[in-house]
Amino acid sequence: MSARAPDRMQIMTELVNETEVSLLECKVCFEKYSQKKKHRPRNLPCGHVMCLECVFSLAHPRNFRLECPFCRRACKSSETSDCLPLLHLIEILSRATNIPLASGTTTGTGDEAAVSASLGLTFNLSFGGWGTLINPTGIAMCRGSDCVVVAHDGKKRIKLFGLSGSCIQQFGERGDAGNDIKYPLDVTVTLDGHVVVTDSGDRSVKVFDFNGRGKLIIRESFCLPWGLDTTPENEIILSDPEAGALSRLTANFKKGELKKVQKIQSNLCNPREVAVSQTSGIIAVIEHLIAKGPNYSSTRVKIFSADMKLIGQMDSFGLNLVFPSKIYATDLAFDREGNIIVADAYNQVVLCLGKPEEFPVLRPIITQGLSYPVALTYTANNSLIVLDSGDHSIKVYTAS
């Protein structure tokens, strides 16, 4: 058996090399696809694929339109999307051979450990991966049980993990029944241990206990419920991008009784991700500014006091004055000290914007090892958990 092992490895390596040439190479610039932003494979509406850098290079600088170099069909750069089959293939082949397929694919933990020591974070472990999680969208922490709750596109929409990576519970079938979940966007956990999910499939908010039993469904109060977080008073702050509003949801979650839905902020521009400080009640929200142009156009972070007075705001342009690359915020969270932590999927980093009174004081805290960070949460001991949709994993950075 030992004599045949090198032959199998050689065959697998040759297969990977052949696959790289035939499938995993941009046919415009002939660079290898990777999970890095510049060479991520992008689908055009016509069905052809090229890397993100070629999309931006071919797009007109004013109207952002481009012609497919293969069939000449016109489209806008904002109409392109990640080619998930190729991204999944990159990940599968990399794991099968234990060799990196391109400079953007990481197989070890060396890159993940490259974090700033200023906030005392050290890479600890990663778990999940394709199959265990499929295109995850939201993450939350149950501080009472130290469980990580993830919303994703799998057969069971909600998964609960221990901090060691073991799956404890899963529920939420995809379907039309009352307790089913069609397309989850975000998730939070109440102080009394109930899982609250926003479902874009039927534009509702759904509440479950930890065993997956449905407790409450709210449909009439929102246009498109999106991001949500729990307040220190066990209420839910929820964003509605179509209504341009933030709402406060009050309920007896144990009995499944809705008490009140109150709109607390309006005239926001496409608000999606939201976070609440568990110490001060301060609310932070990410607005996705509507503009003609490519993806990752612009975002704005707004900070409100607990009584909804605007404390500060900063958009991508302003952050670009203190950071060398344009920032596209995909989620945010508060650490135990009250610092605002932001995930930037475009630059594949996690940044600290400082406390609200000093906002923004920008410090990168994770600069390598991330593919497409989409969500953040913190444990009770101030460890940072990053949901990385690029490789369908959960990455834990513990406080030193």
Side-chain angles (χ1 to χ4, degrees):
M1 293 294 293
S2 59
R4 296 178 60 186
D7 294 335
R8 288 186 61 192
M9 187 62 187
Q10 183 178 0
I11 293 172
M12 181 63 73
T13 303
E14 291 175 356
L15 176 62
V16 169
N17 291 336
E18 183 178 341
T19 304
E20 282 191 84
V21 173
S22 59
L23 289 177
L24 303 182
E25 180 182 84
C26 176
K27 301 306 180 184
V28 178
C29 65
F30 300 103
E31 293 286 343
K32 294 177 182 177
Y33 290 129
S34 75
Q35 293 177 337
K36 286 285 187 180
K37 60 179 182 180
K38 290 178 63 177
H39 296 297
R40 287 178 73 86
R42 300 287 289 182
N43 284 317
L44 274 64
C46 60
H48 291 110
V49 182
M50 67 178 73
C51 70
L52 181 61
E53 187 173 45
C54 288
V55 170
F56 286 165
S57 298
L58 295 175
H60 191 279
R62 290 186 178 179
N63 60 20
F64 301 103
R65 294 185 66 83
L66 69 148
E67 283 188 352
C68 173
F70 308 107
C71 67
R72 297 302 177 187
R73 177 177 170 181
C75 68
K76 289 187 176 181
S77 55
S78 58
E79 296 173 338
T80 67
S81 60
D82 276 346
C83 183
L84 295 179
L86 285 183
L87 288 171
H88 297 162
L89 182 60
I90 291 171
E91 181 181 358
I92 291 170
L93 289 178
S94 177
R95 291 184 177 182
T97 60
N98 199 31
I99 57 175
L101 297 182
S103 59
T105 306
T106 58
T107 57
T109 59
D111 284 344
E112 289 93 332
V115 300
S116 170
S118 61
L119 294 185
L121 292 176
T122 304
F123 176 75
N124 184 17
L125 80 157
S126 175
F127 56 91
W130 172 251
T132 302
L133 294 174
I134 301 175
N135 302 329
T137 56
I139 193 168
M141 191 72 201
C142 177
R143 290 169 175 81
S145 61
D146 276 345
C147 285
V148 181
V149 183
V150 180
H152 75 130
D153 202 29
K155 184 176 180 181
K156 301 284 188 178
R157 302 305 215 191
I158 303 298
K159 278 199 171 185
L160 281 64
F161 296 90
L163 285 177
S164 63
S166 59
C167 182
I168 300 172
Q169 175 68 283
Q170 53 184 334
F171 58 84
E173 295 276 356
R174 177 178 180 176
D176 297 318
N179 292 333
D180 290 344
I181 302 173
K182 293 184 177 181
Y183 301 105
L185 292 176
D186 201 4
V187 63
T188 189
V189 181
T190 65
L191 301 183
D192 53 1
H194 289 83
V195 178
V196 186
V197 184
T198 49
D199 188 347
S200 65
D202 56 8
R203 298 174 178 247
S204 67
V205 178
K206 298 176 180 177
V207 182
F208 302 86
D209 63 19
F210 252 44
N211 293 317
R213 291 188 292 262
K215 305 295 290 187
L216 180 64
I217 300 176
I218 308 165
R219 286 195 177 96
E220 296 78 15
S221 303
F222 313 106
C223 296
L224 179 61
W226 196 293
L228 72 175
D229 201 5
T230 305
T231 72
E233 296 78 28
N234 205 33
E235 298 173 322
I236 302 296
I237 301 297
L238 183 142
S239 68
D240 189 334
E242 287 194 1
L246 292 179
S247 297
R248 178 182 285 111
L249 189 156
T250 307
N252 185 325
F253 298 106
K254 187 174 182 179
K255 294 182 178 180
E257 296 176 354
L258 177 65
K259 295 182 178 179
K260 187 178 183 181
V261 176
Q262 178 188 8
K263 187 177 292 186
I264 58 175
Q265 186 68 38
S266 57
N267 299 319
L268 297 174
C269 182
N270 201 18
R272 295 184 188 175
E273 299 80 13
V274 64
V276 181
S277 170
Q278 295 304 303
T279 55
S280 64
I282 288 176
I283 298 169
V285 61
I286 298 176
E287 294 179 294
H288 293 251
L289 306 182
I290 300 173
K292 294 181 179 179
N295 291 349
Y296 312 111
S297 55
S298 188
T299 55
R300 178 167 56 208
V301 178
K302 279 189 174 179
I303 312 298
F304 297 92
S305 63
D307 56 357
M308 295 310 298
K309 293 180 180 178
L310 183 63
I311 298 175
Q313 61 181 332
M314 181 65 71
D315 59 16
S316 297
F317 177 78
L319 290 171
N320 196 34
L321 297 177
V322 292
F323 192 70
S325 182
K326 187 174 182 178
I327 292 173
Y328 184 80
T330 48
D331 198 26
L332 74 176
F334 288 90
D335 67 7
R336 190 167 57 190
E337 284 73 36
N339 293 297
I340 302 165
I341 311 298
V342 171
D344 176 3
Y346 184 62
N347 294 290
Q348 301 166 313
V349 298
V350 175
L351 309 166
C352 174
L353 302 184
K355 298 178 181 179
E357 59 269 20
E358 59 187 17
F359 175 81
V361 179
L362 193 146
R363 298 192 300 272
I365 58 174
I366 303 176
T367 58
Q368 297 185 50
L370 298 176
S371 298
Y372 199 85
V374 295
L376 307 171
T377 190
Y378 270 89
T379 68
N381 65 359
N382 213 34
S383 294
L384 174 62
I385 302 179
V386 181
L387 183 63
D388 194 336
S389 184
D391 57 10
H392 316 275
S393 70
I394 300 165
K395 296 170 181 176
V396 183
Y397 299 83
T398 57
S400 300

